[in-house]
Amino acid sequence: MIHVKTRFMRPTADAVARLAKFSSATIHEAQGRKGALNSKIKPIDRNMSFCGPAVTVRCAPRDNLMLQVAIHYAEAGDVVLVSAGEYGEAGTFGDVLGTAMKAKGLAAMVTDSGVRDTQDLIELGLPVFSANVCIKGTVKETIGPINHPVVFGDEIIYPGDILKGDADGVVVIRREEIEDVIRLSQQRDDEERELMGRYLAGGTTIELCNLTEVLKAKGLLVEDA
């Protein structure tokens, strides 16, 4: 087996930029309520957000050897996604590797393991999303695959899939579906802005969400005023 695959299709930078303006929740809903990674994957700072193609990495628990290899081969704009067996008791990533990623122009780091040096990473300005924060060190022992499909956060991630992360979580978008998802996300965004405008104009939830007949059918009883 070839451990490190270096050739895979990435979306265009323009498509990534057009997708990036939508929230993770909007994208998740727009593409049919799919693609949301497990909710324990969160940013180390709520102001962090990113959007970019995935470079997939599988590391052994408490071992970051292949993460370092992945950073070497990743390209500007890539998101390094590390599956490490959901082992949270390890500081798989910190400010030194964060500096290496920032210097290469990489978009973000996402892992189902732990990270450390969080204050320094926040000051560095690199988006980092993880399942845990942990100071425990790692080893560099085990060879593993890079840019092979991985199971991460209850989803299968393929290299070149697009990841969008923000304060609410992370969603994956298939590379071949990106234009459809952009269109559907814009449509949903427009509809929600219109709905919020109608609320501000005095509309009510029962009226605007078309709940009258639904509630009647379910037998909702309301006390008379």
Side-chain angles (χ1 to χ4, degrees):
M1 180 186 80
I2 295 175
H3 292 99
V4 180
K5 293 185 177 181
T6 59
R7 295 189 296 272
F8 63 92
M9 293 290 292
R10 291 174 171 85
T12 66
D14 174 71
V16 171
R18 286 184 286 119
L19 182 67
K21 69 178 184 177
F22 302 109
S23 72
S24 60
T26 292
I27 293 170
H28 167 62
E29 293 283 354
Q31 65 177 359
R33 293 187 175 177
K34 66 180 184 180
L37 303 191
N38 190 290
S39 61
K40 66 187 177 185
I41 307 297
K42 288 292 193 294
I44 61 172
D45 183 273
R46 290 183 59 81
N47 292 317
M48 290 179 169
S49 65
F50 70 87
C51 189
V55 166
T56 60
V57 190
R58 192 158 70 241
C59 289
R62 209 168 182 176
D63 188 324
N64 71 354
L65 175 62
M66 295 312 293
L67 166 57
Q68 301 202 36
V69 176
I71 293 170
H72 173 84
Y73 286 103
E75 299 180 3
D78 286 345
V79 176
V80 178
L81 179 132
V82 180
S83 173
E86 300 182 352
Y87 185 82
E89 289 299 304
T92 303
F93 180 83
D95 59 346
V96 175
L97 291 182
T99 299
M101 288 186 62
K102 186 74 172 180
K104 290 196 69 171
L106 304 186
M109 163 71 179
V110 181
T111 181
D112 61 4
S113 185
V115 299
R116 64 186 185 182
D117 307 322
T118 54
Q119 191 58 50
D120 292 328
L121 288 169
I122 291 168
E123 293 174 4
L124 182 64
L126 177 76
V128 177
F129 286 57
S130 68
N132 198 26
V133 173
C134 180
I135 63 174
K136 297 176 182 177
T138 57
V139 298
K140 300 168 182 62
E141 296 288 346
T142 309
I143 293 292
I146 292 175
N147 292 326
H148 295 250
V150 296
V151 176
F152 184 102
D154 305 324
E155 292 284 335
I156 298 177
I157 313 293
Y158 298 91
D161 282 349
I162 305 90
L163 298 168
K164 164 67 185 192
D166 55 28
D168 293 334
V170 183
V171 63
V172 58
I173 305 94
R174 302 298 178 213
R175 181 187 57 78
E176 62 272 16
E177 296 176 2
I178 187 169
E179 291 297 339
D180 285 340
V181 174
I182 291 169
R183 176 180 56 80
L184 292 169
S185 296
Q186 185 64 64
Q187 179 180 318
R188 181 176 178 83
D189 214 29
D190 292 342
E191 290 172 352
E192 289 189 339
R193 289 180 187 278
E194 179 185 359
L195 181 59
M196 288 186 285
R198 295 173 69 184
Y199 281 131
L200 292 172
T204 71
T205 51
I206 291 179
E207 170 198 359
L208 297 181
C209 293
N210 300 313
L211 297 178
T212 301
E213 294 304 317
V214 173
L215 296 173
K216 180 179 178 180
K218 292 182 179 295
L220 180 71
L221 299 176
V222 180
E223 184 180 40
D224 291 336

